[in-house]
Amino acid sequence: MSVRGLGDVYKRQAQDEPVRQIQKAKVPFLFIHGSRDDFVPTPMVHEVYDACPTHKTKLLVEGAAHAMAYLEDREGYEKAVRAFLERVTTPTELPVE
């Protein structure tokens, strides 16, 4: 099984493909992005986030390059991950289908 990031999808497919794909989401998403990412344009993370139909959280780390959000803001990153996991693992926070 290979793991691909949003940047891989963006670089290899049509620019609107990530939006079409995220619209099929059935699970919660945590979007973490660096404001200085030169691989995945910052406007794209906002567009994909807005198109995501499920529970979602977005962390934009100011000054972070691609895949460097944790190193740029470790405390903020860990806080966002903990809060997201707490929220999505609390049954009352998720819609029942």
Coordinates of all heavy atoms in Angstrom, one line a residue:
M1 N 0.9 -1.2 0.0 CA 0.0 0.0 0.0 C 0.9 1.2 0.0 O 1.8 1.4 0.8 CB -0.9 0.0 1.2 CG -1.8 1.2 1.4 SD -2.8 0.9 2.8 CE -3.1 2.6 3.2
S2 N 0.7 2.1 -0.9 CA 1.5 3.4 -0.9 C 0.6 4.5 -0.3 O -0.6 4.5 -0.4 CB 1.9 3.7 -2.3 OG 0.8 4.3 -3.1
V3 N 1.3 5.4 0.3 CA 0.7 6.6 0.9 C 1.1 7.7 0.1 O 2.2 8.0 -0.2 CB 1.2 6.8 2.4 CG1 0.6 8.0 2.9 CG2 0.9 5.6 3.2
R4 N 0.0 8.5 -0.4 CA 0.3 9.6 -1.2 C -0.3 10.8 -0.5 O -1.3 10.8 0.1 CB -0.4 9.5 -2.6 CG 0.2 8.4 -3.4 CD -0.3 8.3 -4.8 NE -1.5 9.1 -5.1 CZ -2.2 9.0 -6.1 NH1 -2.0 8.0 -7.0 NH2 -3.3 9.7 -6.3
G5 N 0.4 11.9 -0.6 CA -0.1 13.2 0.0 C -0.8 14.0 -1.1 O -0.9 13.7 -2.2
L6 N -1.4 15.1 -0.6 CA -2.2 16.0 -1.4 C -1.3 16.5 -2.5 O -1.8 16.7 -3.7 CB -2.7 17.1 -0.5 CG -3.7 18.0 -1.1 CD1 -5.0 17.3 -1.6 CD2 -4.2 19.0 -0.1
G7 N -0.1 16.8 -2.3 CA 0.8 17.3 -3.3 C 1.0 16.3 -4.4 O 1.1 16.7 -5.6
D8 N 1.1 15.0 -4.1 CA 1.2 14.0 -5.2 C 0.0 14.0 -6.1 O 0.2 14.0 -7.3 CB 1.4 12.6 -4.6 CG 2.6 12.4 -3.7 OD1 3.7 13.0 -4.1 OD2 2.6 11.7 -2.7
V9 N -1.1 14.1 -5.5 CA -2.4 14.2 -6.3 C -2.4 15.4 -7.2 O -2.7 15.4 -8.3 CB -3.6 14.1 -5.4 CG1 -4.9 14.3 -6.2 CG2 -3.7 12.8 -4.7
Y10 N -2.0 16.5 -6.6 CA -2.0 17.8 -7.3 C -1.0 17.8 -8.5 O -1.4 18.3 -9.5 CB -1.6 18.9 -6.3 CG -1.6 20.3 -7.0 CD1 -2.8 20.9 -7.3 CD2 -0.4 20.9 -7.3 CE1 -2.8 22.2 -7.9 CE2 -0.4 22.2 -7.9 CZ -1.6 22.8 -8.2 OH -1.5 24.0 -8.8
K11 N 0.1 17.3 -8.3 CA 1.2 17.3 -9.3 C 0.9 16.4 -10.5 O 1.2 16.6 -11.6 CB 2.5 17.0 -8.8 CG 3.0 18.0 -7.8 CD 3.3 19.3 -8.5 CE 3.9 20.3 -7.5 NZ 4.2 21.6 -8.0
R12 N 0.2 15.3 -10.2 CA 0.0 14.2 -11.2 C -1.3 14.2 -11.9 O -1.5 13.6 -12.9 CB 0.2 12.8 -10.5 CG 1.6 12.6 -10.0 CD 1.7 11.2 -9.4 NE 3.1 11.1 -8.9 CZ 3.4 10.5 -7.8 NH1 2.5 10.0 -7.1 NH2 4.6 10.5 -7.4
Q13 N -2.3 15.0 -11.4 CA -3.6 14.9 -12.0 C -4.1 16.3 -12.2 O -3.5 17.3 -11.9 CB -4.6 14.2 -11.0 CG -4.2 12.8 -10.7 CD -5.2 12.1 -9.8 OE1 -6.2 12.6 -9.5 NE2 -4.9 10.9 -9.4
A14 N -5.2 16.4 -12.9 CA -5.8 17.7 -13.2 C -6.0 18.5 -11.9 O -6.2 18.0 -10.8 CB -7.2 17.6 -13.8
Q15 N -5.8 19.8 -12.0 CA -5.9 20.7 -10.8 C -7.2 20.6 -10.0 O -7.2 20.7 -8.8 CB -5.6 22.1 -11.2 CG -5.3 23.0 -10.0 CD -4.8 24.3 -10.5 OE1 -4.7 24.6 -11.6 NE2 -4.5 25.2 -9.5
D16 N -8.3 20.3 -10.6 CA -9.5 20.1 -9.9 C -9.8 18.7 -9.4 O -10.8 18.5 -8.6 CB -10.7 20.6 -10.8 CG -10.9 19.8 -12.0 OD1 -9.9 19.0 -12.4 OD2 -12.0 19.8 -12.6
E17 N -8.9 17.8 -9.7 CA -9.1 16.4 -9.2 C -9.2 16.3 -7.7 O -10.0 15.6 -7.2 CB -8.1 15.5 -9.8 CG -8.3 14.0 -9.5 CD -9.6 13.4 -10.1 OE1 -10.2 14.0 -11.0 OE2 -10.0 12.4 -9.6
P18 N -8.3 16.9 -6.9 CA -8.4 16.8 -5.5 C -9.7 17.2 -4.9 O -10.2 16.6 -4.0 CB -7.2 17.7 -5.0 CG -6.2 17.7 -6.1 CD -7.1 17.7 -7.4
V19 N -10.3 18.3 -5.5 CA -11.6 18.7 -5.0 C -12.7 17.7 -5.3 O -13.5 17.3 -4.5 CB -12.0 20.1 -5.7 CG1 -13.4 20.4 -5.4 CG2 -11.0 21.2 -5.2
R20 N -12.6 17.1 -6.5 CA -13.6 16.0 -6.8 C -13.4 14.8 -5.9 O -14.4 14.2 -5.5 CB -13.5 15.6 -8.3 CG -14.0 16.6 -9.3 CD -14.3 16.0 -10.6 NE -13.1 15.4 -11.2 CZ -12.3 15.9 -12.2 NH1 -12.7 17.0 -12.7 NH2 -11.3 15.2 -12.6
Q21 N -12.2 14.5 -5.6 CA -12.0 13.3 -4.8 C -12.4 13.5 -3.4 O -13.0 12.7 -2.7 CB -10.5 12.9 -4.9 CG -10.1 12.3 -6.2 CD -10.9 11.1 -6.6 OE1 -11.2 10.2 -5.8 NE2 -11.3 11.1 -7.9
I22 N -12.1 14.7 -2.8 CA -12.4 15.0 -1.4 C -13.9 15.0 -1.2 O -14.4 14.7 -0.1 CB -11.7 16.2 -0.9 CG1 -11.6 16.2 0.7 CG2 -12.5 17.5 -1.3 CD1 -10.7 15.3 1.2
Q23 N -14.7 15.3 -2.2 CA -16.1 15.4 -2.1 C -16.7 14.0 -1.9 O -17.9 13.9 -1.5 CB -16.7 16.0 -3.4 CG -16.4 17.5 -3.5 CD -16.8 18.1 -4.8 OE1 -16.9 17.4 -5.8 NE2 -17.0 19.4 -4.8
K24 N -15.9 12.9 -2.1 CA -16.4 11.6 -1.8 C -16.0 11.1 -0.4 O -16.4 10.0 -0.1 CB -15.7 10.6 -2.8 CG -16.0 10.9 -4.3 CD -15.1 10.0 -5.2 CE -15.2 10.4 -6.6 NZ -14.3 9.5 -7.5
A25 N -15.4 12.0 0.4 CA -14.9 11.6 1.7 C -16.1 11.1 2.6 O -17.2 11.7 2.6 CB -14.2 12.7 2.3
K26 N -15.8 10.1 3.4 CA -16.7 9.6 4.4 C -16.1 9.6 5.8 O -16.8 9.2 6.7 CB -17.1 8.1 4.0 CG -17.6 7.9 2.6 CD -19.0 8.3 2.5 CE -19.6 7.9 1.2 NZ -20.5 8.9 0.6
V27 N -14.9 10.0 5.9 CA -14.2 10.0 7.2 C -13.8 11.5 7.5 O -13.6 12.3 6.6 CB -13.0 9.1 7.2 CG1 -13.5 7.6 7.0 CG2 -12.0 9.5 6.2
P28 N -13.5 11.7 8.8 CA -13.0 13.1 9.2 C -11.6 13.3 8.6 O -10.9 12.4 8.4 CB -13.0 13.0 10.7 CG -13.9 11.9 11.1 CD -13.8 10.9 10.0
F29 N -11.3 14.6 8.4 CA -10.0 15.0 7.8 C -9.4 16.1 8.7 O -10.0 17.0 9.1 CB -10.2 15.5 6.4 CG -10.0 14.4 5.3 CD1 -11.1 13.7 5.0 CD2 -8.8 14.2 4.7 CE1 -11.1 12.7 4.0 CE2 -8.7 13.3 3.7 CZ -9.8 12.5 3.4
L30 N -8.1 15.9 8.9 CA -7.3 17.0 9.5 C -6.3 17.5 8.4 O -5.5 16.7 7.9 CB -6.5 16.4 10.7 CG -5.5 17.4 11.3 CD1 -6.1 18.7 11.8 CD2 -4.8 16.7 12.5
F31 N -6.5 18.7 8.0 CA -5.6 19.3 7.0 C -4.5 20.1 7.7 O -4.8 21.0 8.5 CB -6.4 20.3 6.1 CG -7.4 19.6 5.3 CD1 -8.7 19.3 5.8 CD2 -7.2 19.3 4.0 CE1 -9.7 18.7 5.0 CE2 -8.2 18.7 3.2 CZ -9.4 18.4 3.7
I32 N -3.3 19.8 7.5 CA -2.1 20.5 8.0 C -1.3 21.0 6.9 O -0.9 20.2 6.0 CB -1.3 19.6 9.0 CG1 -2.2 19.1 10.1 CG2 -0.1 20.4 9.5 CD1 -1.4 18.1 11.0
H33 N -1.1 22.3 6.9 CA -0.4 22.9 5.7 C 0.5 24.0 6.1 O 0.2 24.8 7.1 CB -1.5 23.5 4.7 CG -0.9 23.9 3.4 ND1 -0.6 22.9 2.4 CD2 -0.6 25.1 2.9 CE1 -0.1 23.6 1.4 NE2 -0.1 24.9 1.6
G34 N 1.6 24.2 5.4 CA 2.5 25.3 5.7 C 2.3 26.4 4.7 O 2.1 26.2 3.5
S35 N 2.3 27.6 5.3 CA 2.1 28.8 4.4 C 3.1 29.0 3.4 O 2.9 29.7 2.4 CB 1.9 30.1 5.3 OG 3.2 30.4 5.9
R36 N 4.3 28.5 3.5 CA 5.4 28.6 2.6 C 5.6 27.4 1.7 O 6.7 27.2 1.2 CB 6.7 29.0 3.3 CG 6.5 30.4 3.9 CD 7.8 31.0 4.5 NE 8.8 31.1 3.4 CZ 10.1 31.0 3.5 NH1 10.6 30.8 4.7 NH2 10.9 31.1 2.5
D37 N 4.6 26.5 1.7 CA 4.7 25.3 0.9 C 4.8 25.6 -0.6 O 3.9 26.3 -1.1 CB 3.4 24.4 1.2 CG 3.5 23.0 0.6 OD1 4.2 22.8 -0.4 OD2 2.9 22.1 1.2
D38 N 5.8 25.2 -1.3 CA 6.0 25.5 -2.7 C 5.7 24.2 -3.5 O 5.8 24.2 -4.7 CB 7.3 26.0 -3.0 CG 8.5 25.1 -2.6 OD1 8.2 24.0 -2.1 OD2 9.6 25.4 -2.9
F39 N 5.2 23.2 -2.9 CA 4.8 22.0 -3.6 C 3.3 21.9 -3.8 O 2.8 21.6 -4.8 CB 5.3 20.7 -2.8 CG 5.2 19.5 -3.6 CD1 6.0 19.2 -4.7 CD2 4.3 18.5 -3.2 CE1 5.9 18.0 -5.4 CE2 4.2 17.3 -3.9 CZ 5.0 17.1 -5.0
V40 N 2.5 22.2 -2.7 CA 1.1 22.3 -2.8 C 0.7 23.7 -2.5 O 1.0 24.2 -1.4 CB 0.4 21.4 -1.7 CG1 -1.1 21.5 -1.7 CG2 0.8 19.9 -1.9
P41 N 0.2 24.4 -3.5 CA -0.1 25.9 -3.2 C -1.1 26.0 -2.1 O -2.1 25.3 -2.0 CB -0.7 26.3 -4.6 CG -0.3 25.3 -5.6 CD -0.1 24.0 -4.8
T42 N -0.8 27.0 -1.3 CA -1.7 27.3 -0.1 C -3.2 27.5 -0.5 O -4.1 27.0 0.2 CB -1.2 28.5 0.7 OG1 0.1 28.1 1.2 CG2 -2.0 28.7 1.9
P43 N -3.5 28.2 -1.6 CA -4.9 28.3 -1.9 C -5.6 27.0 -2.2 O -6.8 26.8 -1.9 CB -4.9 29.2 -3.2 CG -3.6 30.0 -3.1 CD -2.6 29.0 -2.4
M44 N -4.8 26.0 -2.6 CA -5.4 24.7 -2.9 C -5.9 24.0 -1.6 O -7.0 23.4 -1.6 CB -4.4 23.8 -3.6 CG -5.0 22.4 -3.9 SD -3.8 21.4 -4.6 CE -4.8 19.9 -4.7
V45 N -5.2 24.2 -0.5 CA -5.6 23.5 0.8 C -6.9 24.2 1.2 O -7.8 23.5 1.7 CB -4.5 23.6 1.9 CG1 -4.4 24.9 2.5 CG2 -4.8 22.5 2.9
H46 N -7.1 25.5 1.0 CA -8.4 26.1 1.4 C -9.5 25.6 0.5 O -10.6 25.3 1.0 CB -8.2 27.6 1.2 CG -7.2 28.2 2.1 ND1 -7.2 28.1 3.5 CD2 -6.1 29.0 1.9 CE1 -6.2 28.7 4.0 NE2 -5.5 29.2 3.0
E47 N -9.2 25.4 -0.8 CA -10.3 25.0 -1.7 C -10.7 23.5 -1.4 O -11.9 23.2 -1.4 CB -9.7 25.0 -3.2 CG -10.7 24.6 -4.2 CD -10.1 24.8 -5.6 OE1 -9.0 25.2 -5.8 OE2 -10.8 24.3 -6.5
V48 N -9.7 22.7 -1.1 CA -10.0 21.3 -0.8 C -10.7 21.2 0.5 O -11.7 20.4 0.7 CB -8.7 20.4 -0.9 CG1 -9.0 19.0 -0.4 CG2 -8.2 20.4 -2.3
Y49 N -10.3 21.9 1.5 CA -10.9 22.0 2.8 C -12.4 22.4 2.7 O -13.3 21.7 3.2 CB -10.2 23.0 3.7 CG -10.8 23.2 5.1 CD1 -10.5 22.3 6.1 CD2 -11.7 24.2 5.3 CE1 -11.1 22.5 7.4 CE2 -12.3 24.3 6.5 CZ -12.0 23.5 7.6 OH -12.6 23.7 8.8
D50 N -12.6 23.4 1.9 CA -14.0 23.9 1.7 C -14.9 22.9 1.1 O -16.1 22.8 1.3 CB -14.0 25.2 0.9 CG -13.5 26.4 1.7 OD1 -13.3 26.3 3.0 OD2 -13.1 27.4 1.1
A51 N -14.3 22.0 0.2 CA -15.1 21.0 -0.5 C -15.3 19.8 0.3 O -16.1 18.9 -0.1 CB -14.4 20.7 -1.8
C52 N -14.6 19.6 1.3 CA -14.7 18.4 2.1 C -16.0 18.3 2.9 O -16.3 19.2 3.6 CB -13.5 18.3 3.2 SG -13.5 16.8 4.1
P53 N -16.8 17.3 2.6 CA -18.2 17.2 3.2 C -18.2 16.6 4.6 O -19.3 16.7 5.3 CB -18.9 16.3 2.3 CG -17.9 15.3 1.8 CD -16.6 16.1 1.7
T54 N -17.1 16.1 5.1 CA -17.1 15.5 6.5 C -16.6 16.5 7.5 O -16.2 17.6 7.2 CB -16.3 14.2 6.4 OG1 -14.9 14.6 6.2 CG2 -16.8 13.2 5.4
H55 N -16.6 16.0 8.8 CA -16.0 16.8 9.8 C -14.5 17.1 9.4 O -13.8 16.2 8.9 CB -16.0 16.0 11.1 CG -15.1 16.7 12.2 ND1 -15.6 17.7 12.9 CD2 -13.9 16.4 12.6 CE1 -14.6 18.1 13.7 NE2 -13.6 17.4 13.5
K56 N -14.1 18.3 9.6 CA -12.8 18.7 9.2 C -12.2 19.7 10.1 O -12.9 20.5 10.7 CB -12.8 19.2 7.7 CG -13.7 20.3 7.6 CD -14.1 20.6 6.1 CE -15.1 21.7 6.0 NZ -15.7 21.8 4.7
T57 N -10.9 19.8 10.1 CA -10.1 20.8 10.8 C -9.0 21.2 10.0 O -8.4 20.3 9.3 CB -9.6 20.2 12.2 OG1 -10.8 19.8 13.0 CG2 -8.9 21.2 13.0
K58 N -8.6 22.4 10.0 CA -7.5 22.9 9.2 C -6.5 23.6 10.1 O -6.9 24.5 10.9 CB -8.0 23.8 8.1 CG -6.9 24.4 7.3 CD -7.4 25.2 6.1 CE -8.5 26.1 6.4 NZ -9.0 26.9 5.3
L59 N -5.2 23.3 10.0 CA -4.1 24.0 10.7 C -3.2 24.5 9.6 O -2.7 23.8 8.8 CB -3.3 23.1 11.6 CG -2.1 23.6 12.2 CD1 -2.4 24.8 13.1 CD2 -1.3 22.5 12.9
L60 N -3.1 25.8 9.6 CA -2.1 26.5 8.6 C -1.0 27.0 9.5 O -1.2 27.9 10.3 CB -2.8 27.6 7.9 CG -2.0 28.4 6.9 CD1 -1.5 27.4 5.7 CD2 -2.7 29.5 6.3
V61 N 0.2 26.5 9.2 CA 1.4 26.8 10.0 C 2.1 27.9 9.3 O 2.7 27.7 8.2 CB 2.3 25.6 10.3 CG1 3.5 26.0 11.1 CG2 1.5 24.6 11.1
E62 N 2.1 29.1 9.8 CA 2.8 30.2 9.2 C 4.3 30.0 9.1 O 4.9 29.6 10.0 CB 2.6 31.5 10.0 CG 1.1 32.0 9.9 CD 0.7 32.4 8.5 OE1 1.5 32.9 7.7 OE2 -0.5 32.1 8.1
G63 N 4.8 30.2 7.9 CA 6.3 30.1 7.7 C 6.8 28.7 7.4 O 8.0 28.5 7.1
A64 N 5.9 27.7 7.4 CA 6.4 26.3 7.2 C 6.4 26.0 5.7 O 5.4 26.2 5.0 CB 5.5 25.3 8.0
A65 N 7.4 25.3 5.3 CA 7.5 24.8 3.9 C 6.8 23.4 3.9 O 6.4 23.0 4.9 CB 9.0 24.7 3.5
H66 N 6.9 22.8 2.7 CA 6.2 21.5 2.5 C 6.7 20.5 3.5 O 7.9 20.3 3.6 CB 6.4 21.0 1.1 CG 5.7 19.8 0.8 ND1 4.3 19.7 0.6 CD2 6.1 18.5 0.6 CE1 4.0 18.5 0.3 NE2 5.0 17.7 0.4
A67 N 5.8 19.8 4.2 CA 6.1 18.8 5.2 C 7.0 19.3 6.4 O 7.7 18.4 7.0 CB 6.8 17.6 4.5
M68 N 7.0 20.5 6.6 CA 7.8 21.1 7.7 C 7.0 21.7 8.8 O 7.5 22.3 9.7 CB 8.8 22.1 7.2 CG 9.7 21.6 6.1 SD 10.7 20.2 6.7 CE 11.9 21.0 7.7
A69 N 5.7 21.5 8.8 CA 4.8 22.1 9.8 C 5.1 21.7 11.2 O 5.1 22.5 12.1 CB 3.3 21.8 9.5
Y70 N 5.4 20.5 11.4 CA 5.8 20.0 12.8 C 7.0 20.6 13.3 O 7.1 21.0 14.4 CB 5.9 18.5 12.8 CG 6.2 17.9 14.1 CD1 5.1 17.8 15.1 CD2 7.4 17.5 14.5 CE1 5.3 17.3 16.3 CE2 7.6 16.9 15.8 CZ 6.6 16.9 16.7 OH 6.8 16.4 18.0
L71 N 8.0 20.7 12.4 CA 9.3 21.3 12.9 C 9.1 22.8 13.1 O 9.8 23.4 14.0 CB 10.4 21.1 11.8 CG 10.8 19.6 11.6 CD1 11.8 19.5 10.5 CD2 11.3 19.0 12.9
E72 N 8.3 23.5 12.4 CA 8.1 24.9 12.5 C 7.2 25.3 13.8 O 7.5 26.3 14.4 CB 7.4 25.5 11.3 CG 7.4 27.0 11.1 CD 8.7 27.6 10.9 OE1 9.6 26.9 10.2 OE2 9.0 28.7 11.4
D73 N 6.2 24.5 14.1 CA 5.4 24.8 15.2 C 4.9 23.4 15.9 O 3.8 23.0 15.8 CB 4.1 25.5 14.8 CG 3.2 25.9 15.9 OD1 3.6 25.8 17.1 OD2 2.1 26.4 15.6
R74 N 5.9 22.8 16.6 CA 5.6 21.5 17.2 C 4.4 21.6 18.2 O 3.6 20.8 18.2 CB 6.9 21.1 17.9 CG 6.7 19.7 18.6 CD 8.0 19.3 19.2 NE 7.8 18.0 19.9 CZ 8.8 17.3 20.4 NH1 10.0 17.7 20.3 NH2 8.5 16.1 20.9
E75 N 4.4 22.6 19.0 CA 3.3 22.8 20.0 C 2.0 22.9 19.4 O 1.0 22.2 19.7 CB 3.6 23.9 20.9 CG 2.6 24.1 22.1 CD 2.9 25.3 23.0 OE1 4.1 25.6 23.1 OE2 2.0 25.8 23.6
G76 N 1.9 23.8 18.4 CA 0.6 24.0 17.7 C 0.1 22.8 16.9 O -1.0 22.4 16.9
Y77 N 1.1 22.1 16.3 CA 0.8 20.9 15.6 C 0.3 19.8 16.5 O -0.8 19.2 16.2 CB 2.1 20.4 14.9 CG 2.0 19.3 13.9 CD1 2.2 19.5 12.6 CD2 1.9 17.9 14.4 CE1 2.1 18.4 11.7 CE2 1.8 16.9 13.4 CZ 1.9 17.2 12.1 OH 1.9 16.1 11.2
E78 N 1.0 19.5 17.6 CA 0.5 18.5 18.5 C -0.8 18.9 19.1 O -1.7 18.0 19.3 CB 1.6 18.3 19.6 CG 2.8 17.6 19.1 CD 3.9 17.4 20.1 OE1 3.8 17.9 21.3 OE2 5.0 16.8 19.7
K79 N -1.0 20.1 19.5 CA -2.3 20.6 20.0 C -3.4 20.3 19.0 O -4.5 19.8 19.4 CB -2.2 22.0 20.4 CG -3.5 22.6 21.0 CD -3.3 24.1 21.3 CE -4.6 24.7 21.8 NZ -4.5 26.1 22.1
A80 N -3.2 20.6 17.7 CA -4.2 20.4 16.7 C -4.6 18.9 16.5 O -5.7 18.6 16.4 CB -3.8 21.0 15.4
V81 N -3.5 18.1 16.5 CA -3.7 16.7 16.3 C -4.5 16.1 17.5 O -5.5 15.4 17.4 CB -2.4 15.9 16.1 CG1 -2.6 14.4 16.2 CG2 -1.8 16.3 14.8
R82 N -4.1 16.5 18.7 CA -4.8 16.0 19.9 C -6.3 16.4 19.9 O -7.2 15.6 20.2 CB -4.2 16.5 21.2 CG -3.0 15.6 21.7 CD -2.6 15.9 23.1 NE -2.1 17.3 23.2 CZ -0.8 17.7 23.0 NH1 0.1 16.8 22.6 NH2 -0.5 19.0 23.1
A83 N -6.5 17.7 19.6 CA -7.9 18.2 19.6 C -8.8 17.5 18.5 O -9.9 17.2 18.8 CB -7.9 19.7 19.4
F84 N -8.2 17.3 17.4 CA -8.9 16.6 16.3 C -9.2 15.2 16.7 O -10.4 14.8 16.5 CB -8.0 16.6 15.0 CG -8.6 15.9 13.9 CD1 -9.6 16.5 13.1 CD2 -8.2 14.6 13.6 CE1 -10.2 15.8 12.1 CE2 -8.8 13.9 12.5 CZ -9.8 14.5 11.7
L85 N -8.3 14.5 17.2 CA -8.5 13.1 17.6 C -9.5 13.0 18.8 O -10.4 12.1 18.7 CB -7.2 12.4 18.1 CG -6.2 12.1 16.9 CD1 -4.9 11.6 17.5 CD2 -6.8 11.2 15.9
E86 N -9.5 13.9 19.7 CA -10.5 13.9 20.8 C -11.9 14.1 20.2 O -12.9 13.5 20.6 CB -10.2 15.0 21.8 CG -9.1 14.6 22.7 CD -8.8 15.8 23.7 OE1 -9.7 16.5 24.0 OE2 -7.6 15.8 24.2
R87 N -12.0 15.1 19.2 CA -13.3 15.4 18.7 C -13.8 14.3 17.8 O -15.0 14.0 17.9 CB -13.1 16.7 17.8 CG -14.4 17.2 17.4 CD -14.3 18.6 16.9 NE -15.6 19.2 16.9 CZ -15.9 20.3 16.3 NH1 -15.0 20.9 15.7 NH2 -17.2 20.7 16.3
V88 N -13.0 13.6 17.0 CA -13.5 12.6 16.1 C -13.7 11.3 16.8 O -14.4 10.4 16.2 CB -12.7 12.4 14.8 CG1 -12.7 13.7 14.1 CG2 -11.3 11.9 15.1
T89 N -13.2 11.1 18.0 CA -13.4 9.8 18.7 C -14.4 10.0 19.8 O -14.7 9.0 20.5 CB -12.1 9.3 19.4 OG1 -11.5 10.3 20.2 CG2 -11.0 9.0 18.3
T90 N -15.1 11.1 19.9 CA -16.2 11.3 20.8 C -17.5 11.1 20.0 O -17.8 11.9 19.1 CB -16.2 12.7 21.4 OG1 -14.9 13.0 22.0 CG2 -17.3 12.9 22.4
P91 N -18.2 10.0 20.3 CA -19.4 9.7 19.5 C -20.4 10.8 19.3 O -21.0 10.9 18.2 CB -20.0 8.5 20.2 CG -18.9 7.9 21.0 CD -18.0 9.0 21.3
T92 N -20.6 11.6 20.2 CA -21.6 12.7 20.1 C -21.2 13.8 19.1 O -22.0 14.6 18.7 CB -21.9 13.4 21.5 OG1 -20.7 13.9 22.0 CG2 -22.5 12.3 22.4
E93 N -19.9 13.8 18.7 CA -19.4 14.8 17.8 C -19.6 14.5 16.4 O -19.5 15.3 15.5 CB -17.9 15.1 18.1 CG -17.6 15.8 19.4 CD -18.2 17.2 19.5 OE1 -18.2 17.9 18.5 OE2 -18.5 17.6 20.6
L94 N -19.8 13.2 16.1 CA -20.0 12.8 14.7 C -21.4 12.5 14.3 O -22.2 12.0 15.1 CB -19.2 11.5 14.5 CG -17.6 11.6 14.7 CD1 -17.0 10.2 14.5 CD2 -17.1 12.6 13.7
P95 N -21.8 12.9 13.1 CA -23.2 12.6 12.7 C -23.4 11.1 12.5 O -22.5 10.4 12.1 CB -23.3 13.4 11.4 CG -21.9 13.5 10.9 CD -21.0 13.5 12.1
V96 N -24.6 10.7 12.8 CA -25.0 9.3 12.6 C -25.7 9.2 11.3 O -26.6 9.9 10.9 CB -26.0 8.9 13.8 CG1 -26.4 7.4 13.5 CG2 -25.4 9.0 15.1
E97 N -25.2 8.2 10.5 CA -25.7 8.1 9.1 C -26.6 6.8 9.1 O -26.5 5.9 9.8 CB -24.6 7.9 8.1 CG -23.9 9.2 7.9 CD -22.8 9.1 6.8 OE1 -23.1 8.3 5.9 OE2 -21.9 9.8 6.9

